[in-house]
Amino acid sequence: MSQNQVPTAHQKSALKNIVQFTSSSFYRHMLGLATAFFRPGLLGAELFGIWSLLNVIPFYANSAHLGTRSAMRFKIAELAEKNNNSLKRLTNTTLVVTLIATTVFAAIMTGYALTTPLVSEMEYGLYAMAIIIFLNALYEHYGAEAKGYHNFTLVSQTTVIRYTL
């Protein structure tokens, strides 16, 4: 674009999306940095160790979809242009695969917590993580769907709300 051209509505929209998405990402990282300093002091050594151990679970559970969510995100743009019924089938199938895999993962954790003698904080933490990974799977699925539709305003807003909570 030359210096005397006025930006089009699409260019303004793209710039707005970039600014919103970048701002929400920056907010998420700054909030994470701030909590990294306060969490150890607030929890104490034993509970911080349990927190750190339990926090590994969502990291690995986030891959339970085995790449279907990532494939869906990039396929949405192609199918949306054609306006065919495959799009709804794709998003529904991806959601079902994600939820089945996450449910299996959560059931294994819950079963372990029920059958193994653990410190009560660890047991409750496993129950909480089972719920968190399930909710996180839903959040990530709908976030990938929004990204596939290029709805970065929604993605940015949900990022700010999620990390604030």
Side-chain angles (χ1 to χ4, degrees):
M1 180 167 59
S2 70
Q3 290 179 346
N4 55 357
Q5 284 182 328
V6 177
T8 65
H10 178 69
Q11 290 169 328
K12 287 180 184 178
S13 175
L15 181 61
K16 179 182 171 188
N17 282 339
I18 291 168
V19 169
Q20 284 180 331
F21 191 71
T22 303
S23 299
S24 69
S25 250
F26 181 75
Y27 175 76
R28 176 176 61 107
H29 288 295
M30 290 300 105
L31 202 57
L33 183 64
T35 59
F37 286 109
F38 295 113
R39 188 177 292 128
L42 293 172
L43 292 177
E46 183 181 353
L47 289 178
F48 183 69
I50 291 172
W51 167 261
S52 298
L53 179 62
L54 290 173
N55 216 22
V56 171
I57 295 168
F59 176 77
Y60 287 107
N62 195 33
S63 299
H65 62 87
L66 301 175
T68 57
R69 191 169 42 224
S70 305
M72 174 197 68
R73 178 179 166 204
F74 293 106
K75 195 75 171 163
I76 283 175
E78 177 187 323
L79 294 175
E81 291 174 2
K82 296 177 183 175
N83 194 18
N84 70 37
N85 295 334
S86 297
L87 183 59
K88 193 66 175 168
R89 220 175 29 232
L90 170 71
T91 56
N92 287 341
T93 302
T94 304
L95 180 60
V96 168
V97 166
T98 299
L99 292 180
I100 289 172
T102 302
T103 301
V104 169
F105 203 94
I108 290 169
M109 284 184 355
T110 303
Y112 181 76
L114 288 171
T115 59
T116 308
L118 297 168
V119 177
S120 63
E121 290 88 356
M122 186 68 165
E123 183 179 349
Y124 297 136
L126 284 171
Y127 297 142
M129 281 300 158
I131 294 167
I132 287 169
I133 64 168
F134 192 78
L135 294 173
N136 192 45
L138 289 172
Y139 171 81
E140 293 292 339
H141 171 80
Y142 289 114
E145 201 171 322
K147 287 176 186 175
Y149 286 114
H150 299 158
N151 190 351
F152 291 102
T153 300
L154 178 63
V155 173
S156 301
Q157 291 168 346
T158 58
T159 297
V160 169
I161 291 168
R162 178 183 185 198
Y163 287 94
T164 299
L165 292 174

